[in-house]
Amino acid sequence: MPTTPVHTDHPDRWIATDDESALLGWAADRSAAGERHLVPVADVGRTTSGRLVVDLERPTGTPLAAALDRLGTPTTGVAVTLTVPLLELLVAAHDGAVRLGTAGIDDVIVDDAGAVVVCDHPTGADGSTASASDLDAAMTLVLAARTVWDRVDPGDPVRHRVLTAVQDALEGDRTAVRAALDVVRGSAAPRPFRWSPVPSDLVFAAPSPPDAPVALVERFRDVVERGIPLGPGRRLPLRRVLVGVVVAVGAVVAALTAVGSG
């Protein structure tokens, strides 16, 4: 673990309270988990005063409810795609395979690739993103799953069955959670979550067309420098054109003079 001082302006930084064992245990467990649907640890260090610091690599994404608003009514397959990882994490937590912290419903996000990610917070630490509405992350997982299935078409015959199973898992044990997971998996084949994330603030647009006077000047300059275009890949030098014009004008003047003198 690095012991060099770290800055204190990270957007998702957690600093241990008096007893750092809870934060240290959570960080060690999360660093070893490598779970696609859990927020990973980006760095661990200490402040200048020696307090343990954990930085989380919160991915770019949209809170689940807002993502569903943009999507509209999800199909059963999309609901399966979003909720199976949540219930699998809950089963793993009941089995002791992963340690969860606390999280609010807005900490369950859909990343730009369409995958659900749980951005829970470690216990025993102070952080800038802590909220009074944070719950035990295990309960938040069930609430997030219910949020998704609440959006499914009420006419879908599996919706009521899934919601009943998810509600049983809300205050149930591993058996109830496992049963809810089986019901969700058996409701439909998973389908990708296809959506359009909020566009970046950095939008590169084509330059606007120049004003007519500017375009006329540019065209004249192009003719002077490169010649008059005659077709694809062919140009007639302007100097040759001017010489031809002068010769033609001279011939005309000479002809008119000869006619007048005759």
Side-chain angles (χ1 to χ4, degrees):
M1 178 193 309
T3 56
T4 54
V6 293
H7 300 290
T8 57
D9 56 354
H10 193 278
D12 204 0
R13 168 157 293 182
W14 297 85
I15 303 177
T17 54
D18 294 336
D19 182 8
E20 66 182 34
S21 58
L23 176 58
L24 187 59
W26 184 93
D29 181 82
R30 185 55 51 88
S31 298
E35 168 59 51
R36 167 72 176 85
H37 301 282
L38 282 176
V39 62
V41 171
D43 197 12
V44 179
R46 292 189 181 277
T47 65
T48 54
S49 61
R51 298 176 67 186
L52 180 66
V53 179
V54 174
D55 286 345
L56 305 183
E57 191 175 346
R58 189 181 180 106
T60 303
T62 304
L64 178 61
L68 291 171
D69 289 340
R70 291 178 61 85
L71 175 69
T73 302
T75 64
T76 307
V78 168
V80 171
T81 297
L82 292 176
T83 54
V84 163
L86 301 177
L87 297 176
E88 286 179 338
L89 285 174
L90 191 53
V91 171
H94 277 288
D95 291 343
V98 65
R99 179 182 295 188
L100 298 175
T102 60
I105 191 63
D106 285 342
D107 292 317
V108 180
I109 68 171
V110 178
D111 68 13
D112 292 345
V116 64
V117 181
V118 181
C119 301
D120 58 327
H121 315 311
T123 57
D126 297 325
S128 59
T129 58
S131 171
S133 62
D134 285 350
L135 303 171
D136 184 279
M139 180 175 292
T140 299
L141 291 174
V142 182
L143 294 175
R146 190 173 68 182
T147 297
V148 174
W149 284 95
D150 278 339
R151 303 291 188 96
V152 173
D153 184 356
D156 193 315
V158 303
R159 177 177 180 270
H160 177 72
R161 184 166 67 252
V162 171
L163 284 175
T164 299
V166 170
Q167 184 62 37
D168 291 342
L170 185 59
E171 297 180 0
D173 55 9
R174 182 191 183 280
T175 301
V177 175
R178 184 74 228 190
L181 177 59
D182 291 341
V183 170
V184 171
R185 281 177 171 167
S187 62
R191 291 289 183 271
F193 184 84
R194 302 186 186 279
W195 72 311
S196 299
V198 177
S200 171
D201 292 335
L202 299 177
V203 178
F204 297 93
S208 57
D211 296 335
V214 177
L216 185 60
V217 172
E218 292 296 331
R219 181 170 297 182
F220 179 74
R221 180 181 299 171
D222 179 70
V223 170
V224 171
E225 294 177 352
R226 302 176 59 196
I228 300 173
L230 298 178
R234 298 183 58 195
R235 283 182 178 263
L236 182 63
L238 182 62
R239 180 178 179 181
R240 185 177 301 177
V241 174
L242 293 178
V243 171
V245 170
V246 170
V247 172
V249 170
V252 171
V253 171
L256 292 176
T257 303
V259 171
S261 63

